[in-house]
Amino acid sequence: MKKILLVVTLLAATFQLTFAQDKAVSGKVTDETGTGLPGANVVVKGTTNGVITDANGQFNLTSVSPEAVIQISSIGYATQEITVGTQTTINTQLALDVTQLSEVVVVGYGNQERSQVTSAISSVKGEMLKDLPVTSIDQKLQGQLAGVQINQSTATPGGGTVVRIRGAGSLSTQNGANDPLYVIDGFPVTNTFNAGQNPLSTINPDDIESITVLKDAASTSIYGSRGANGVILINTKRAKAGQSSIEVSGYVGLSNIPDSRLLQMMNGQEYAQYRLEQAQDGNQVRLDNPAQFTTPTYTPVPFDIRMVHPSYRDPSKGGANGGTDWMAQVNKKTAPMSNYNVTVTKGSDNIRTLFSLGYNKQDGNIITTGIERFSMRANIDGNVGKKFTVGLSISPSYTIRKGPNVNGLGSAQTSFYGQGLNAYPTESPYAGTWDDAGNFTIDPSMRLQSFLRPYTAQYNPNGASGFLATGPALAANGNQGYIATYPAQGTNISNPLNVAANSRYRTYNIRALANTYVTWQIIPGLTAKTTLNLDLRQDKTDQFRESVANTQWTPTTPYPNQFSGGSNNN
């Protein structure tokens, strides 16, 4: 029992001795001029015990042991570490950290310190971009640089992008009036905006070493008015002296459109209910105002279910076979993509060479769209004596773009997305027949409809059949009790699946960028450089649309009766 009491007493004494050694430490932190530095961090290293200096640079820490190390830091100043020891008051002066502020960057024809151009220049290394699964250089910059806004203007892979550096500089939107200037290895290249195809998608992004964006006067001081909207400097990879390597990279993946990003359209039941109520309300307006609507050839009559198309007569059926989700028809849930690249470098003191091959393929999430690119690059640099350096860069590529511009909201033959928006959810993609009860039977041939035609039915209470016509044909067909025919002549309610299946859209791009240079070091710090550049482009467009994919329907007069005999004219 005495031994237990002795151990407890020793432990208590040790705890009291240790506790007694902790103390408070206060002091003042000043800047390089000796002025109190507010907001500096004063922390016991390796713990969460810390404070921030007040407006006068004063601080007060409690529970600090003699073995503790106090770490003092502030943005723009070198961090200091001080061992407490027997000190209870610590006053320290922080020194400026000029490592980053004195970093030299190349701007145009000269060098400047980054501290002078930090808001005018942004840069990003190729290592930060190589894993981004996109097809063009400008798309890799999305979200990477402050003050640079990049938006894709179309859903087509390899389609045009809108790049704005610190906003638009012109009210005009034509001919790339607000587009920046792209300079690849010192070579300004043409990149006129095109919503359907992006010229930069012909260049392999895997060849990039770094990208620098000039935003302010730094761009116009060198490139003049061409740099008024900013300049994007792109440096490609080059071999280094004494280093040789073989690099193989690639990826495969799937692009996906989440359901939350698809437009929420009416389903077949909702649309049929809407059209039925529309017809009922419209007919009631005519009955309530007979004087306004009665003409020598028309007298309002009570509503009859035969006044609407069979697909609307029983909304619970949702139209043809329960209805069609046209957004799901024109969008693919997942689309494959793949990219492969091989780069070989060899460098000696006098000659440095780089050779790369690239292949990229990406299917679009809109039906029939995609892009396929074959690319090559060769960069050669060599020393001629001690004063001269010569170099050659050549980068040919062959790009195949599949599909038209899918971004339009109209129903023209090239706007699959617009056709999907306009298509009736009560209609089927396939030809077939309706009965009077609103049942639809698909034709055994599984033939795609050319046009989606849910007419408003032509109902005559006097029993005559036929569609509303004009002039003599109107009187000949028994003109009492008709309501308007829909769609009218020239209406473009196309079947997007039929247009896609019976059309071919291809664009073939051949592009070769080549430049050669000679550099002469006149004296240390003064260098002259001359370049010869070539940007060769050849574009070929191949479009074919079968007659069954025509999007302009011109009905005959008098209009044929759509469901007489249960046929669905297409």
Side-chain angles (χ1 to χ4, degrees), residues 163-165 176 178-182 189 191 226-227 229-232:
V163 180
R164 296 292 178 263
I165 298 177
N178 292 295
D179 290 348
L181 174 66
Y182 293 87
V189 298
N191 188 48
R226 298 178 69 186
N229 297 316
V231 178
I232 297 180

Side-chain angles (χ1 to χ4, degrees), residues 42-108:
V42 182
V43 182
V44 177
K45 188 175 181 179
T47 72
T48 59
N49 184 15
V51 295
I52 296 176
T53 58
D54 61 18
N56 298 317
Q58 303 282 349
F59 70 91
N60 187 17
L61 276 173
T62 59
S63 302
V64 181
S65 68
E67 295 80 14
V69 176
I70 294 181
Q71 190 176 66
I72 304 173
S73 62
S74 183
I75 296 176
Y77 293 88
T79 300
Q80 283 193 16
E81 294 184 355
I82 302 172
T83 302
V84 175
T86 60
Q87 303 177 84
T88 57
T89 301
I90 296 178
N91 297 320
T92 185
Q93 185 178 46
L94 297 184
L96 284 172
D97 185 358
V98 296
T99 302
Q100 292 184 350
L101 296 179
S102 62
E103 182 183 346
V104 174
V105 293
V106 179
V107 180

Side-chain angles (χ1 to χ4, degrees), residues 467-528:
F467 271 52
L468 179 64
T470 58
L474 179 65
N477 280 276
N479 50 40
Q480 295 296 315
Y482 287 96
I483 58 179
T485 301
Y486 185 80
Q489 180 174 343
T491 300
N492 301 335
I493 309 300
S494 304
N495 180 357
L497 298 188
N498 178 67
V499 175
N502 295 286
S503 305
R504 182 178 69 250
Y505 300 91
R506 295 288 187 274
T507 302
Y508 304 93
N509 306 109
I510 298 176
R511 187 173 194 178
L513 294 176
N515 72 313
T516 181
Y517 72 89
V518 177
T519 300
W520 173 32
Q521 184 182 16
I522 302 173
I523 59 175
L526 179 60
T527 302

